[in-house]
Structure formats: C-alpha cells, structure tokens
Amino acid sequence: MMDGWARDFDLSGVSFNERMTLTLVTKRHVVMAKHYPRKPGSPVIFHDRNGRRLVRIILKVRPVFGDVSVGLLDHEVPAGYHIYALPTPREDYTQLVGETAVLTDQNRRLFFHEIRLVTPTFISFRWPKESAHGWGKKLIGGDSGNPSFLISGKELVLIETHSTGGGGAGPFYGNPQLQKRLQEEITRLAPGYRFRTKDL
C-alpha cells in the first residue's frame, strides 16, 4: 500500500493479520503451511492496493501434500484482491536455479533470494551475494507459511510457502502431484473453484 519501489508488487491476496500467513489461490481458498495453520473461526484480513480492509472467516482447513494445507473462506473475495497463479505443472524445473525470487516474512517485508535447488516436490533458496543488493533475510520461526513468488511479466506467481528457516525452503507449487491434491481438496471444500497456472 506504500509508495516506493515495492508498489508494483501486488500482495493484496496475502493475509498478514496473524503470523500464520494465508495466500489466495481461488476467490475462496487460501494455502498455508501445514505445520503452522490458521485455525477455523479465525478472521482473515486482506487489504487492496488502496488500503481497503476486507475481513473473511476461515471455515475449514484441510491437509494437501507435504507441508501444505488449504483453507476455505466464508465468502468469496471481490475484485481488487489478487488471486495468485501457480507454475504450470511439469516434472523438471531445474532451469529456475539461479533465478531471483521474491520472499515475504511475518513482518510484511519483501526480500530477494536466489533459487538454490528445485526438485519435483521441494524448492530452496540462498542469500544473494551481498554486493548484488543485500536485500536478503535469515528466515526464522514465525515466517513459516509466508509465500515466495517468481515475477512473470507483471504478475507474481506463487512458487513456495516457507517450511524452514535460513535462506528459506518449502514445498514447490509447480509439482504436478501437489497441484492434483490441491484441486481435489479445493473441490472437497467448495465445488466449482479452480486455481490458475502460468508458464514460467
């Protein structure tokens, strides 16, 4: 919502009102770290690009795959709150190694780390060289579930939610098996919704 270099990063689809961060993947579904979930009945607060506050209630939470859970909101979010695409699923994403990712933390800050490793189920990051820009962070307890993105054109594509500290690592959202299970749980919670994918 602030002016400055970060203004172009649309985080209106990320709920930061509790440390257990939630990220929109449909108008009614949010993903989070399975080991650090938001409880059903909790308020979920989003802010659009103009600072307008939106409150929803999380009704149910279901495990998906690895360290990923999905939650159902009581009502859809309206236009103006970003729904994040996932990478188009495929088995090999090793070409992403060395690319710069946008990471978030529990204090609603942005950092830039390099992708260190991508396997079919897992992605990890490393701190960039200090001489490059120094905008890295050692992730700590409480950062779990915060999302990481790749910039694709003018869009942020969800690639991970934090499971571990240090440079950061967690489940890779381009994994075909994760996406299959995620869609199954989305449909189980509220039929008729699908997440989007985007080529990287």
Side-chain angles (χ1 to χ4, degrees):
M1 294 181 290
M2 297 177 67
D3 292 331
W5 65 268
R7 178 68 180 167
D8 289 337
F9 294 95
D10 189 346
L11 296 177
S12 61
V14 183
S15 173
F16 289 108
N17 65 295
E18 290 188 28
R19 287 187 175 182
M20 293 75 88
T21 304
L22 307 177
T23 305
L24 285 167
V25 292
T26 82
K27 290 183 177 182
R28 279 195 74 189
H29 296 84
V30 289
V31 291
M32 68 197 84
K34 181 181 174 183
H35 80 272
Y36 200 48
R38 191 89 60 103
K39 292 181 179 179
S42 301
V44 178
I45 300 173
F46 301 99
H47 292 87
D48 73 6
R49 303 301 298 280
N50 298 309
R52 255 191 316 266
R53 187 173 184 267
L54 178 74
V55 181
R56 294 290 182 261
I57 302 298
I58 191 161
L59 297 179
K60 297 178 183 178
V61 176
R62 298 273 308 168
V64 174
F65 181 87
D67 192 25
V68 178
S69 287
V70 61
L72 177 68
L73 304 179
D74 58 342
H75 300 291
E76 291 186 357
V77 298
Y81 297 88
H82 195 72
I83 313 297
Y84 300 96
L86 280 54
T88 299
R90 60 177 204 249
E91 295 296 337
D92 184 11
Y93 263 107
T94 53
Q95 85 279 4
L96 296 182
V97 172
E99 294 287 328
T100 299
V102 180
L103 281 67
T104 63
D105 78 348
Q106 61 190 294
N107 296 311
R108 295 172 280 189
R109 296 179 296 181
L110 298 179
F111 300 92
F112 296 90
H113 291 190
E114 291 178 2
I115 296 174
R116 183 182 72 84
L117 174 72
V118 185
T119 75
T121 60
F122 179 81
I123 186 168
S124 67
F125 307 96
R126 61 187 170 217
W127 296 290
K129 293 179 181 176
E130 202 66 33
S131 58
H133 49 60
W135 294 336
K137 182 204 175 180
K138 182 178 180 181
L139 298 177
I140 59 173
D143 290 331
S144 291
N146 274 268
S148 297
F149 304 96
L150 270 186
I151 303 168
S152 179
K154 294 185 176 181
E155 184 174 3
L156 295 176
V157 177
L158 178 65
I159 57 171
E160 181 258 7
T161 45
H162 308 331
S163 293
T164 66
F172 178 51
Y173 279 79
N175 174 17
Q177 190 175 359
L178 184 155
Q179 290 194 13
K180 179 177 182 291
R181 291 285 301 278
L182 177 59
Q183 187 57 56
E184 289 171 354
E185 295 302 333
I186 284 172
T187 301
R188 183 172 284 119
L189 287 167
Y193 293 89
R194 297 194 69 83
F195 58 82
R196 287 187 303 118
T197 61
K198 193 172 193 300
D199 291 337
L200 295 178

